[in-house]
Structures are given as C-alpha cells and as structure tokens.
Amino acid sequence: MLSESDFKNPPTWFRGVPFWSINDKLNSDELVRQLRLLINGGFGGGFFHAREGLLTPFLSDEWFKALKATVEAASREGGFIWLYDEDRWPSGFAGGHVPALGPEHRARSIVMVINATPFKGSDVMVVFKCAPGDGLIPRECWRINEGKAEDGYLYLSFIRHVASPGEPWYGGFSYVDLLNSSTVDKFIEIAYKPHVEALKEYVGKVVPGIFTDEPNLTSSRPPWRGRLTLLRGAPFPQYALPWTDNFPEYFRRINGYDIVDKLPELFFNIGSYTKTRYDYWRTLTMLFIESFSKRIYDWCNANGLRFTGHYLMEDTLLSQLVVGAVMPHYEYMHVPGMDHLCLRTWEMFLTAKQVASVANQLGKERVLSETYGATGHHPTFEDRKWIGDFLYALGINLLNHHLVPYSLRGRRKADYGLTIHWSQPWWPYNKVIEDYFARLSYVLSQGVRLVDVLVLHPIGSVWATYSPVNESEAVAVNEKFMEVLRGLARMHVDFELGDETIMAKYGNVSGGELTIGRARYRVVVIPPSYTIAASTINVLKRFIDNGGLVVAIKPIPTMIDGVESPTINDFLSKVKIVDNVGKLSEILNSVERSIIVNSPSDKDGEVLTHVRSVGGSLIVFIANTSRVKDHEVEVSFKGSFKVEDWDPLTGSISNYPASLRNGWTLVKVTLNPVGSRLLVLKPGEPLIERSVNYVKVGEVKLSSDWVTRRLNPNILVLDYARVKVGSNWSEPMPMPKVKDTILSLGVGSAYTIRFEVNATEKPQGKLSLVVESDNLRRITINGHELNLSKPTGTWLDWNFKTYDVTDLIKDGINIIEVEGIIGLEPDLEPLYLLGEFAVEAKPKGQSIIHREQPVTSLGDLTKQGYPFYSGAVELTRSVRIVNASGGFDKVELILSFNAALAIVYVNGVEVARVIQRNSSVDITKHVRYGDNEIKVTLIGTLGNTLGPLHRKGDLSCVGPETFYIVNESWTDEYVLRPFGLEDARLTLYRIA
C-alpha cells in the first residue's frame, strides 16, 4: 500500500544510484568524503565503477581495500554501494584477465570468404561451391570436401575467426566468447567471486547487487553490419556472424539438423533460408542466455546479489541482434535495465518499452536505466526532468546516472558525462531534482501497471530475414514496427510488448484476457510481420476462443517459425486484419478499456500516461515530453474515485478536482512544456471543485533596471597555446593539436608551450591560476617562476591546484610558459585564470580581460563579460505595484531563463526553486502594494568552462571526441551555451 510518509521522505532504497567513475589513484579518505557528498546530495549511494583512467590496479589488494573502506562508510552513512563487474566495458573480459588465460576464451565469429577459388587449412571450417546468378549472387550452393577451382563458379569458404591480442581497451588482449560457458565461469571466478568474498558481511544489504554493462556477441570480431563499399585487394566483400566452437553441436540438439550444412543460407536467399536464419538467431539467443545471463543470474541468486545492468544496443530490432534478442535476457535479471544516451527521448521509446514490459509481466519491482550518458557538462535540471519523466512514464523507476567522476583530471572530465559533481554550480540544489525522482521511484514501484493492449515483438521476423549481405527486409520490419508504436502513442493508447520466447513460457488465457505472468491484456496487436511462433499462435487461438480480440496490421505473417505454412490462414481467419495502424483507433474505441486518454491538442503523441493499480487505488503519472508545447489532457477511469495530487517536487499532497460521468471518473490536466502530474485515485466520490476564472488586469515588464551580481570568481579559459619548436614559436593552436605536436617528440622528451593573457588593465583583487597536472616541471609568468610545490588550494576537483598570481599579472600581454616531460599518461590540458574581471571571448585563445561593467538589462551573460563563467548570478530589482481600482487577486512572475535552475525571492523570502526554463511562479502571498524587491538567482553549469567549447553543429551527444578531435566540425570560435535571464514580467489577475 502507498505510504504518504514514504512519499514525502522516500527511503534511501528508492533514491537514484549514479555510476561513480572510479578513475584515478584511489585514496580511501577521498572516497569516503565523496560518498558523504553523494548521500547528502540526494543519492542513494553509487555503483563502484572501474573506468578509464583508473591507476589503482583493478581487483588488486589496494582495490579491495579502497572498496571495503567505501562500503563500511556507506554502512555508517545509510547508503548503498552497488558493484560493477568490469574494468570499463563491455562486461566479460575482467580488465584483460579472462582473455589472457588463452585463445579458447577469446571472441569468436565465422567469416564468409567469397572467392573464385576454394581455400583449405586449419581455420577453414567448410567450403561451398556455388552457381552464380545475376550480379554473381549465388543461386545454389553445394558443400564440398575438396576440389580445385572451376571456371564459372564461386566458392564460399567459412573461416573460424578467433580474436587476436593487442587491443588496448581490453587490457592489451581482446574481448571474450560469452557463448562459451567456461569463459563465463572464468569471468565469474575472477570478477564476481572476489568481490563477494571481500564484502561477504555486506552483500545483500549495503551491497545490494552488481551491474553488467553491454555484454555482446560482436566486440573484437569482424564487423557484420555495414554497407557494401568499393573494394581494394580482395575481389569480393567478406561477411561475418557470431559463432562459438560448440555451436553446431548445440544447434543440432535444439533443431535436429546441422547448421554447418546451411551456412550459405544465413547470407543469401537460397534454400530454406528463412527457417535457417530464424533457427540460427533463436538458437544463438538461447545459448547466450544459458551461457551468460542465466549463469550469472543463478550465481548471484546463490550468493545474495541482485543482478542488474543492460545489454548492448537495445534500441532497434536490428541493432539488438548483437545479443540475439534483448527481451528474453531480462527474465534473468533481478533488476532489468536499459541504456539511455544523449539529450534525446523518443529514440529510446522501444528500448524502454522492451525492458519495462518484461519487468511488469514477470513482477520485477525495479527497472533501471543508465541515464544521461553522453550529455556533457551542460545539462540543466529541465534537461534531467525531461529525460527522466519520459523514462518514468514508460516504466523505469531506478535512475542510474551517468556519471560522477572520482577525478576530473585530464581526459577523465571528457568521459561521456553528464558530469554530476560537487563542483557543478547546481550541486547545492541537486537534492531538489533527486527528491523529485526518489518520490516518483517510490510511487511507481508499487503495484502493477494497467495496460489493455499487448503488441507482439516481431524480432522473429528480423531473425527470419536478416542477412549481412542485404538488411532491407529486416529494416522494413523495424520501420513498420516503430510506425505502429508511435501510432499507438499518438492515439494515447498505452501498451506493452510481448516477446514470443517469454510468451511461450509464461503466456496463458484467463477470463477472456491474455496473461503473461502477472500482466493481463484485452487486445493483442500483431504488427507487420513475416513470421510468428507456433507457440504464440496456440495461446492466441485460446485467447480468441475465450472472447479475446487479436488485430493484425498488414502485411500479415505467412510463416510459422520461419517456414511458409498454409495452416496459418486458419488462425488469421479469426483475426481482425487492418491496412495500417491508423485503422486501429476505430477498433480500440469499440473495446471496453479501463483507462481512456484524450488530448485534442496532442496530435504527435507527446503526452505519455502511466497507470498502476495498488490495492483498490490507482496511480497516474502523466508527462508532457514536448519542450515547446502546452497540452490539455483528459483521462477517464472506470469507476468512482477521489483524486489527490501528489507533487513529487515538493512532497505535498492535496485534493484534485474531478467529475463523475456515467460511472467514469474524469480528470483534466494542463501540462506546460516538460510538465508532469502525479495523481492518486482512491475509491470514493470525486471532489467537484467550483472553477475560478481569473481575468488579466495588468502586466509589468521587468526588462531593465536590474542589479546583477556575480557570486563566484569569473573565469578565463586558456585553451590555445604556442609550442616551442627549436628556437621558434608556433602560431596559437588548440590544446588537442598542442598535445599531438609534443607527443610526436616521443616519450621522455622535454617540451615548452606558451599561453598568452591579454589584459587591457591589471585586474583588481585576487587572481588565481588553475593547473590540473602534477607532471609539469616548471611554470613561469612574465619570467617569474611559480612554486608548484605550494598551491594555495584547489578548484573544482582535488586534482585542480590553484596558485596565487595576483602580483604576476600586469596590463598588456602576459606570457605564461609551461615546461614538462612527455610521460606515458600525457594529460596536458587548458589552464584557467580566476578573478574579478570581465572577459571578451576571441577566437584562437586571444580573449581579452578587462574591468567589469554594470549589467542592468536582461539577456545572455556570455555576451556581457562572462563567456566562460560557471557560477551563480543574482539579478535584483525593485518593482512598484499600484493599488488600482479593484486591486488584484493573483500575481504571477513569468520567467524565461537559460540556466540549470533559478531561485526566486520576493521581498527577501525564497518563493520557488524553478526547474523549467519557461515558468510562471505564483507570488501572490509575498507581494504587497508599493515597492517590492524581486531577486532571481541563476545557477549555471560547468559547460561553458570545461566545454566542449569549439564544436560546431549538434551537441546533443557529447563524447571524448568532441573535446579532443580537431576536424571539420571544430571551430576556432567559442561555441557557448546561453546563460542568463531572457524575460521577466509580473502579471496581475482579478477573479471574474
């Protein structure tokens, strides 16, 4: 049952758990300090994630000593430390220890070599002789044991490929063969077992579980997806597919025939290719589940751990072939999960629906999403809410934030953030957004989701038609499937997905409803498909015989389990067939449903609704995924309910008006962009509230006369430098090119680079230079050497040292020279100057610092002296409200801003912490006639300080390359995100 007290103060279990990027030399005291920061910042702990930059050896005594100190601190502080099963990703190689054991554990595939001659040798598994047709495409093939090349034929030689050592990402070795259960056993022995042994008194309590990240069947193998390109050398292209040594034996046991005899059919449309491909991919998925997912799940079960994480490339029907099919794996995760990347939402629609469907069907309480990866340093609280609301509306209820860096030094600060860190200006307010999602997580983890419609997941049709040689048929399945899903979203019809493998095990019929585990459905939709499983037909026949409705959208399947079968027509004769997804609307409107959603303003399906049943009550979460449109939504629920508004932002609970019509409770909701509403419906009579109509009687524009105050030192980023070459200096070049230039000198070589600071006059107040490398030999400013052994403090991170340079900076051009030795971990990075000055950004690092000028009008502060500033700014002004005839009954402050969030004060009282960049704040209780003081504090991000600062075009996805690769999308200009208050006004209303 729902608890109001748990909603207001969510238990730690329901708080988000970020990836804690363990990425440098570990210090136990620093880890404990950071853990306290995480818990105080609103998180439930962290995933202890070995990551790029880690200098303490993974799985060493020092590693476990630091980890145990952190776990002990979490026990004292009331947090959780989740484990992570790998050094970096993808999971399976244990930082290189597993592939180092020998070639029997390294990744495998089968490569098809097309040639005019057959090959023989120890790596050649089988050869086929083929008669070519048009375009030299084989039209018939025969397996041969030996023979010489004959003119007019093609030969397909199938080669066993075993990954070779030499890949730095995999510890100098390669990825591994996760179809081999012995390899997975070694992985468990090396990466899982020592963690449990070291932390046995905490496992299952302070250490709840372990994360697996992107296990797959394609890494360290020849690419098997890609377009045909012009060739050099070989006369024909080569293609590959996943394989393992015992696959033929396993396949024969499952399917009754030898897959080796059928290998050409996996690539070319010959023989019974749809059956062969269907059987291959289905069997491959089964073997991967048995060898990896179920094996680790069972081990975790036996050792008190929850198994969680996500698989590689879950986002489309084709991409998920890297794991065979993703949905069947979720049965063997205690907390199934997915990956969300970049500043985007709808591209992850299928991903979220897949994992949430299985979790709801099989009764898994928590559903994880690795979230905010590759969004950079810039995201605001609105960005986080926008993505999070989208995921929670689809069924996610555990945020795994990507990521919290242990160290920001060097390349570590460019590691696929969102950089969630105490150096972010918004960190003191992080608990605002984390409390919001913790409350949502608590509520949306209760009960069971109510969905009337099940859509069959057509991965079988992709299995039957996919070929590395020609993906077009499989692509069409994916495209038509996504049209169906988006079409249902536009109709505001919630649905779940039915995986045929899971349905074969858990599908049943009860009381005229199709059931999968605990979930119940009244309508089943067959999307455009080529094939359907015999087990699915059997359960759907029983569903139809018990009064259930099945609707198929053309083109309808003609195959059963990949084989053309006229018997499918008997089944389809009982199915309602429609031409396209648009025709579904009429049919669904005629079916009795428990929830009906209408939004005439939302033609694009931007409003998502999530309904759960808890006892006799309903939970309703409604989210507007649009960033620009308001939407009016009406939701109807069968039955009579009293409606309450549970505000996850504040924890407050209040009555919400509704109406009763013909036995249905009707609720109307207005959602602004990125707006959402959480309602709880309890059995009873709805509260019919008399509507209050307000009439606008006045408006006060607040565009000028502001007093702007910077609350932190301003920043000059020094990210262009000259390199000394012999006795000469190069032109200014960006730091990535500077690094490339000095690296060309070779490890152990000395270098000197020069930064320039142009000051129109000597700045007033203290000046600090920030240096983030400990490997520099010497720094001079205008010829005066800094004592690098005596920093005055740190900035942003424990690795960023500050030095007082107040007396060294003069007016005019200031020269900062840096000398160092090229080491094995070159971390040459920009310098930063902090102080009381304004900055005019200029290309190629030629920015100018000068005296600050008062800023009194609204607008973008990056153009008014603060291009690289990442702190907070106060804007204050006085406004007079005149007691005109009739006065006012309501006053709203309308804001539009670019910042992480805004804090609003009226007459010295904090009124609101505003997340959405276009917002209205009711300040009626805080204003008075006469003079009033309005103060808006804008909280920035690290984006315009740490970058990327020179990347043109779309920056919705931010990875290391956006910081360090100088290519056609690089510009010497500074590309800055706006920061400032764009618009502010008071609007006065009177009751009509």
Side-chain angles (χ1 to χ4, degrees):
M1 297 297 291
L2 281 174
S3 164
E4 293 187 7
S5 62
D6 282 347
F7 172 71
K8 293 176 181 179
N9 298 289
T12 305
W13 180 248
F14 295 100
R15 293 194 168 275
V17 187
F19 272 164
W20 190 2
S21 177
I22 307 302
N23 62 359
D24 211 321
K25 181 71 175 175
L26 298 186
N27 176 282
S28 295
D29 291 339
E30 177 62 18
L31 285 165
V32 171
R33 183 187 77 88
Q34 293 189 13
L35 175 66
R36 292 194 185 105
L37 288 168
L38 285 172
I39 292 173
N40 292 335
F43 294 113
F47 282 90
F48 204 79
H49 178 1
R51 204 162 170 92
E52 188 174 4
L54 177 65
L55 296 179
T56 298
F58 180 57
L59 302 176
S60 66
D61 291 343
E62 292 82 2
W63 167 267
F64 286 112
K65 180 181 177 181
L67 172 58
K68 189 164 186 178
T70 308
V71 170
E72 289 170 347
S75 180
R76 295 191 300 271
E77 300 292 332
F80 297 103
I81 296 296
W82 292 70
L83 303 175
Y84 183 93
D85 68 6
E86 189 53 85
D87 180 7
R88 302 180 300 278
W89 69 92
S91 292
F93 67 102
H97 292 289
V98 175
L101 294 173
E104 67 271 20
H105 297 299
R106 296 179 197 148
R108 280 158 162 66
S109 58
I110 187 166
V111 180
M112 182 178 69
V113 176
I114 309 171
N115 208 298
T117 186
F119 294 100
K120 61 182 178 179
S122 59
D123 291 330
V124 179
M125 186 167 66
V126 65
V127 178
F128 290 83
K129 178 181 178 181
C130 301
D134 294 341
L136 295 179
I137 300 171
R139 54 182 173 80
E140 189 176 7
C141 295
W142 309 269
R143 181 173 177 172
I144 59 174
N145 293 323
E146 59 182 32
K148 295 181 179 180
E150 296 183 42
D151 192 32
Y153 292 94
L154 284 178
Y155 294 87
L156 309 180
S157 299
F158 287 90
I159 313 301
R160 295 183 186 90
H161 175 270
V162 179
S164 299
E167 297 184 62
W169 188 260
Y170 300 106
F173 293 91
S174 71
Y175 196 49
V176 292
D177 179 10
L178 297 183
L179 294 173
N180 182 345
S181 60
S182 297
T183 299
V184 177
D185 285 342
K186 290 296 182 184
F187 178 48
I188 292 171
E189 178 185 327
I190 294 170
Y192 279 67
K193 188 177 179 182
H195 282 97
V196 169
E197 291 176 346
L199 304 169
K200 53 189 173 185
E201 65 265 44
Y202 300 103
V203 168
K205 295 168 284 193
V206 179
V207 179
I210 190 165
F211 193 107
T212 197
D213 202 356
E214 300 187 349
N216 67 85
L217 304 177
T218 56
S219 295
S220 292
R221 298 166 172 92
W224 53 273
R225 289 197 63 201
R227 294 183 178 179
L228 183 64
T229 57
L230 292 175
L231 300 171
R232 297 191 64 188
F236 303 106
Q238 295 179 359
Y239 300 95
L241 284 173
W243 198 258
T244 193
D245 291 348
N246 74 333
F247 186 68
E249 176 188 347
Y250 183 86
F251 185 94
R252 181 188 291 273
R253 191 164 69 247
I254 299 296
N255 299 287
Y257 65 95
D258 189 352
I259 184 62
V260 176
D261 291 338
K262 299 281 193 173
L263 287 177
E265 297 176 16
L266 297 177
F267 300 86
F268 298 108
N269 293 1
I270 57 178
S272 54
Y273 71 92
T274 55
K275 173 176 170 52
T276 301
R277 294 175 192 176
Y278 183 92
D279 289 345
Y280 167 82
W281 287 107
R282 181 175 57 86
T283 307
L284 193 80
T285 305
M286 292 169 59
L287 181 57
F288 191 17
I289 290 170
E290 289 180 19
S291 299
F292 182 83
S293 300
K294 186 177 185 299
R295 205 171 199 85
I296 295 182
Y297 175 83
D298 289 343
W299 190 93
C300 288
N301 256 343
N303 288 275
L305 286 173
R306 295 170 177 85
F307 185 44
T308 188
H310 75 89
Y311 293 81
L312 182 65
M313 298 175 67
E314 318 110 317
D315 306 331
T316 73
L317 297 178
L318 270 73
S319 67
Q320 67 184 266
L321 289 176
V322 302
V323 298
V326 72
M327 290 181 73
H329 288 274
Y330 296 141
E331 178 182 357
Y332 299 104
M333 301 189 93
H334 298 92
V335 182
M338 59 165 281
D339 192 11
H340 177 282
L341 296 170
C342 307
L343 276 171
R344 55 184 181 172
T345 51
W346 284 98
E347 292 85 348
M348 305 294 177
F349 187 44
L350 173 60
T351 317
K353 275 294 184 185
Q354 288 172 154
V355 66
S357 296
V358 177
N360 189 48
Q361 290 157 0
L362 302 188
K364 297 176 186 288
E365 179 187 89
R366 307 304 301 281
V367 189
L368 175 146
S369 175
E370 179 186 323
T371 309
Y372 307 127
T375 58
H377 303 294
H378 290 96
T380 67
F381 280 22
E382 181 185 287
D383 293 329
R384 289 166 69 177
K385 183 179 188 297
W386 174 58
I387 292 171
D389 279 357
F390 174 82
L391 294 171
Y392 275 58
L394 294 174
I396 302 303
N397 56 27
L398 174 55
L399 280 187
N400 164 223
H401 312 65
H402 195 292
L403 79 172
V404 177
Y406 170 75
S407 168
L408 288 171
R409 180 170 64 89
R411 67 184 187 272
R412 296 161 181 84
K413 63 179 171 291
D415 183 13
Y416 293 106
L418 174 60
T419 303
I420 295 176
H421 199 261
W422 25 94
S423 62
Q424 284 277 14
W426 44 255
W427 179 259
Y429 305 97
N430 189 64
K431 203 166 182 294
V432 173
I433 190 73
E434 287 309 312
D435 283 352
Y436 172 84
F437 282 117
R439 293 184 180 112
L440 274 183
S441 292
Y442 165 69
V443 172
L444 297 180
S445 296
Q446 310 303 311
V448 61
R449 188 165 189 160
L450 293 184
V451 181
D452 294 321
V453 176
L454 180 78
V455 180
L456 293 188
H457 190 272
I459 191 67
S461 292
V462 173
W463 289 347
T465 56
Y466 177 78
S467 163
V469 174
N470 186 340
E471 298 183 345
S472 58
E473 286 184 282
V475 168
V477 175
N478 183 75
E479 290 176 346
K480 291 180 183 299
F481 182 51
M482 293 308 301
E483 288 175 9
V484 171
L485 303 192
R486 285 309 305 265
L488 288 168
R490 283 189 288 271
M491 297 174 204
H492 302 104
V493 173
D494 197 11
F495 63 89
E496 288 184 329
L497 300 174
D499 175 81
E500 292 185 279
T501 300
I502 289 176
M503 289 176 67
K505 188 173 182 179
Y506 295 102
N508 211 334
V509 177
S510 175
E513 294 178 318
L514 178 74
T515 65
I516 305 176
R518 68 176 186 176
R520 308 176 72 89
Y521 308 99
R522 300 180 180 182
V523 180
V524 175
V525 176
I526 302 173
S529 308
Y530 299 119
T531 188
I532 191 169
S535 56
T536 303
I537 290 177
N538 290 337
V539 74
L540 291 184
K541 280 182 177 178
R542 289 193 286 126
F543 176 54
I544 293 170
D545 291 344
N546 280 269
L549 175 63
V550 178
V551 184
I553 303 173
K554 293 180 179 179
I556 57 177
T558 60
M559 295 185 285
I560 298 176
D561 292 330
V563 179
E564 291 285 344
S565 174
T567 62
I568 198 174
N569 296 324
D570 176 59
F571 163 68
L572 291 173
S573 67
K574 303 175 182 179
V575 171
K576 181 73 174 178
I577 298 173
V578 297
D579 292 331
N580 53 62
V581 67
K583 302 293 185 180
L584 268 182
S585 182
E586 300 172 15
I587 296 173
L588 293 177
N589 286 339
S590 67
V591 176
E592 182 178 350
R593 288 160 36 211
S594 51
I595 303 112
I596 298 174
V597 181
N598 286 305
S599 179
S601 65
D602 181 21
K603 305 298 184 184
D604 298 320
E606 295 174 322
V607 174
L608 293 171
T609 306
H610 180 163
V611 180
R612 305 186 73 82
S613 174
V614 183
S617 299
L618 298 178
I619 297 166
V620 188
F621 180 60
I622 312 170
N624 180 8
T625 66
S626 172
R627 305 202 73 166
V628 294
K629 298 177 187 174
D630 296 321
H631 287 303
E632 302 285 336
V633 186
E634 182 181 84
V635 189
S636 303
F637 305 90
K638 191 173 184 180
S640 179
F641 296 95
K642 177 189 175 186
V643 184
E644 294 176 347
D645 181 13
W646 289 37
D647 185 352
L649 196 58
T650 64
S652 65
I653 297 174
S654 58
N655 290 324
Y656 193 85
S659 60
L660 192 62
R661 186 186 306 162
N662 299 325
W664 289 73
T665 300
L666 277 63
V667 180
K668 293 184 178 180
V669 175
T670 300
L671 299 174
N672 56 4
V674 199
S676 58
R677 183 78 70 172
L678 178 65
L679 303 174
V680 174
L681 283 69
K682 299 177 179 178
E685 293 293 322
L687 175 68
I688 312 298
E689 189 173 278
R690 184 168 59 89
S691 60
V692 178
N693 294 320
Y694 288 97
V695 176
K696 181 177 175 180
V697 294
E699 181 176 270
V700 182
K701 294 184 178 181
L702 309 175
S703 55
S704 59
D705 298 326
W706 291 87
V707 176
T708 303
R709 186 166 74 96
R710 173 177 45 77
L711 300 184
N712 306 94
N714 203 4
I715 303 164
L716 172 65
V717 176
L718 301 172
D719 61 350
Y720 275 67
R722 302 177 191 268
V723 179
K724 192 172 186 179
V725 182
S727 59
N728 299 316
W729 291 94
S730 71
E731 290 297 309
M733 62 178 73
M735 289 305 293
K737 281 194 172 181
V738 170
K739 186 181 292 188
D740 288 345
T741 302
I742 66 171
L743 287 179
S744 67
L745 302 175
V747 172
S749 300
Y751 66 86
T752 304
I753 63 174
R754 173 183 286 179
F755 299 90
E756 297 172 359
V757 177
N758 187 352
T760 59
E761 58 182 287
K762 180 178 174 62
Q764 301 297 310
K766 181 179 178 180
L767 294 172
S768 296
L769 185 70
V770 180
V771 182
E772 62 176 278
S773 173
D774 288 330
N775 299 320
L776 302 179
R777 296 176 63 188
R778 189 168 183 261
I779 296 180
T780 62
I781 300 179
N782 297 324
H784 300 279
E785 184 172 352
L786 281 183
N787 186 344
L788 295 178
S789 66
K790 293 186 177 180
T792 56
T794 60
W795 178 71
L796 297 186
D797 186 66
W798 56 285
N799 284 307
F800 285 45
K801 305 295 194 302
T802 60
Y803 298 89
D804 189 340
V805 296
T806 307
D807 297 331
L808 303 181
I809 299 294
K810 59 182 179 61
D811 59 341
I813 302 296
N814 294 266
I815 303 299
I816 302 176
E817 291 190 2
V818 176
E819 299 176 13
I821 297 290
I822 302 167
L824 289 175
E825 189 191 14
D827 56 358
L828 194 60
E829 296 288 325
L831 303 180
Y832 307 89
L833 187 66
L834 314 180
E836 311 300 313
F837 48 74
V839 179
E840 182 182 355
K842 295 284 189 179
K844 294 189 175 182
Q846 302 302 300
S847 300
I848 300 170
I849 61 174
H850 54 79
R851 185 187 297 272
E852 289 181 278
Q853 301 297 320
V855 177
T856 61
S857 58
L858 301 183
D860 184 0
L861 292 171
T862 68
K863 299 175 181 178
Q864 300 182 69
Y866 308 100
F868 310 120
Y869 183 65
S870 58
V873 170
E874 280 183 0
L875 296 98
T876 309
R877 66 155 290 168
S878 178
V879 58
R880 175 174 287 272
I881 298 178
V882 179
N883 187 3
S885 175
F888 63 84
D889 297 302
K890 181 180 178 181
V891 181
E892 288 184 337
L893 174 63
I894 312 297
L895 296 176
S896 180
F897 61 88
N898 288 300
L901 74 159
I903 318 298
V904 174
Y905 302 84
V906 178
N907 294 323
V909 177
E910 182 181 316
V911 174
R913 297 177 176 184
V914 185
I915 290 177
Q916 287 149 265
R917 65 179 302 270
N918 295 300
S919 294
S920 61
V921 180
D922 189 337
I923 61 173
T924 309
K925 296 179 181 178
H926 303 279
V927 294
R928 56 187 177 240
Y929 291 115
D931 291 332
N932 294 266
E933 182 189 74
I934 306 292
K935 182 169 73 175
V936 179
T937 302
L938 299 178
I939 313 297
T941 76
L942 288 174
N944 286 342
T945 301
L946 298 184
L949 296 174
H950 297 280
R951 192 63 58 184
K952 296 182 291 186
D954 180 29
L955 268 180
S956 58
C957 291
V958 178
E961 70 284 350
T962 61
F963 293 84
Y964 294 126
I965 304 299
V966 180
N967 55 18
E968 65 279 357
S969 68
W970 182 278
T971 174
D972 290 324
E973 303 281 346
Y974 286 95
V975 181
L976 303 166
R977 303 289 178 97
F979 174 55
L981 186 58
E982 291 183 349
D983 187 29
R985 62 191 68 204
L986 291 184
T987 306
L988 284 68
Y989 300 91
R990 192 178 301 146
I991 296 175

